[in-house]
Amino acid sequence: MTFSAIPGASDAPAPAMLPKAELHLHIEGTLEPELIFALAQRNGIELPYADLAELRARYEFTDLQSFLDLYYANMAVLRTEEDFADMTRAYLRRAAAAGVRHAEIMMDPQAHVARGVPLATAINGVASALAASEAEFGISTGLIAAFLRDLSEESALSVLEELLGMDAPIIGIGLDSAEVGNPPSKFVRLYDRARAAGLRLIAHAGEEGPASYVTDALDLLGVERIDHGIRCMEDTALVSRMSAEQVPLTVCPLSNVRLRAVDTLADHPLPAMLAAGLNVCVNSDDPAYFGGHVDDNFAQLEAVFGFGTAELERLAGNSIRSSFIGLERRTALLAELAEWVRARD
Ligand code: HPA
Ligand code: ZN
């Protein structure tokens, strides 16, 4: 007598991860507490926390600014190219396990220059890890310089000129940090300069700021993608327009919960955004701070909203189609996604 294999037995191949692109990721937001302590020790830096538990106890946020205060403070441990490269490789290794096949990664050059770290040290450290990413982790990458909107446009323009002068391997620019009170209209010349230099354009808008900041990011800055954008849902005309134009929105559900933009994941507007026909994708933002990587975001969406194959395919497809990768890689990744869907049927 023979027995058939038990479904789900341990020798069954693990289902492949959903192949996806991650388009909203701050590399400094991937700095895990363990790495913060390791880098502090390597660089002889005294941390204001006695141990990991004391640092972890700080990861309770009431709004965007309460997070930003810790995020900028923790960057103090990043001093050398090796530090930036180690942080970047740790993200790529974890992202590969999450099924990320392409990543467009923001970094905050001004936050490092302001601490006395040379621009080249920060850029070269991140860029060296990204250069090896496809061979090492199977993840194609692009680097985006994000500018701190609570600083002046002059500061942003001078760092952008320095980046252009050193031929930094960036594909585009973004706008992040404290949103309310720092509207897109403050950065029109910065975006005009970046556009003239042939860079791709994105900006955070409608995370804590109003829907009008989303409109202004599109109309005044000419951005090709909106980071977050969840508050666009407060303006029905804007939703219709963004649905018609299929403007990509890089949504970060766990970030929105942890920064109290929404009360709980069940209150998140993502299902309504999908129902409105918006071009949304799922991202982790600052995974070391917000309780998980992009796969964790997907897992919680599946658990809370019952997302199945159709939603997962649409969200991952949007991420790949909304990326700035070339046609050949895009086609290959969409084929991988189609294969993932077929294998699940
Ligand atoms: N919002 C704005 N600025 C940021 C964020 C964010 O979620 N993460 C890092 N800088
Ligand atoms: Zn962000």
Side-chain angles (χ1 to χ4, degrees), residues 17-18 20 22 94-100 254 282-284 292-302:
M17 294 297 294
L18 174 71
K20 58 184 87 68
E22 177 142 68
R94 177 64 183 80
V100 173
L254 292 181
V282 171
N283 305 268
S284 68
H293 279 260
V294 65
D295 53 342
D296 301 309
N297 274 265
F298 271 100
Q300 293 202 32
L301 291 169
E302 289 177 64

Side-chain angles (χ1 to χ4, degrees), residues 33-53:
E34 291 81 359
L35 189 54
I36 290 171
F37 271 85
L39 294 181
Q41 188 172 36
R42 184 156 90 188
N43 292 323
I45 294 169
E46 182 111 23
L47 287 172
Y49 329 107
D51 53 29
L52 272 173

Side-chain angles (χ1 to χ4, degrees), residues 214 218 226 229 232-233 235-249 272-280 314 318:
V214 177
L218 294 171
I226 297 284
C232 77
M233 298 304 280
D235 180 341
T236 50
L238 177 60
V239 170
S240 301
R241 171 196 173 178
M242 292 179 74
S243 173
E245 296 176 8
Q246 285 296 287
V247 176
L249 292 150
M273 296 174 92
L274 284 166
L278 291 170
N279 177 3
V280 286
R314 180 168 161 201
N318 285 346

Side-chain angles (χ1 to χ4, degrees), residues 24-26 106 176 204 207 227-228 252 255 285-286 290:
H24 185 159
L25 184 282
H26 303 264
M106 281 177 270
D176 63 2
H204 284 53
E207 178 186 18
D227 289 320
H228 293 297
C252 308
S255 164
D285 205 4
D286 300 280
F290 299 150

Side-chain angles (χ1 to χ4, degrees), residues 8-160:
S10 59
D11 59 352
M17 294 297 294
L18 174 71
K20 58 184 87 68
E22 177 142 68
L23 305 182
H24 185 159
L25 184 282
H26 303 264
I27 198 64
E28 297 91 345
T30 70
L31 198 50
E32 294 286 349
E34 291 81 359
L35 189 54
I36 290 171
F37 271 85
L39 294 181
Q41 188 172 36
R42 184 156 90 188
N43 292 323
I45 294 169
E46 182 111 23
L47 287 172
Y49 329 107
D51 53 29
L52 272 173
E54 200 180 318
L55 171 55
R56 287 212 180 93
R58 311 264 177 131
Y59 286 54
E60 279 288 335
F61 310 115
T62 51
D63 56 12
L64 174 58
Q65 190 60 53
S66 65
F67 151 70
L68 289 171
D69 292 344
L70 184 67
Y71 167 83
Y72 292 125
N74 284 342
M75 287 181 203
V77 300
L78 295 165
R79 292 278 171 87
T80 66
E81 272 192 37
E82 190 186 8
D83 299 337
F84 285 90
D86 286 349
M87 168 179 68
T88 305
R89 262 192 304 275
Y91 162 69
L92 292 166
R93 184 173 298 111
R94 177 64 183 80
V100 173
R101 305 287 288 113
H102 175 75
E104 291 176 6
I105 292 171
M106 281 177 270
M107 67 181 293
D108 289 335
Q110 288 161 297
H112 308 301
V113 173
R115 301 184 290 112
V117 174
L119 188 59
T121 300
I123 294 283
N124 293 344
V126 174
S128 66
L130 296 186
S133 173
E134 208 160 344
E136 210 171 334
F137 303 106
I139 302 176
S140 49
T141 62
L143 181 59
I144 294 174
F147 291 93
L148 307 187
R149 66 200 306 154
D150 43 347
L151 301 185
S152 68
E153 188 181 41
E154 285 66 35
S155 164
L157 275 165
S158 99
V159 171
L160 177 58

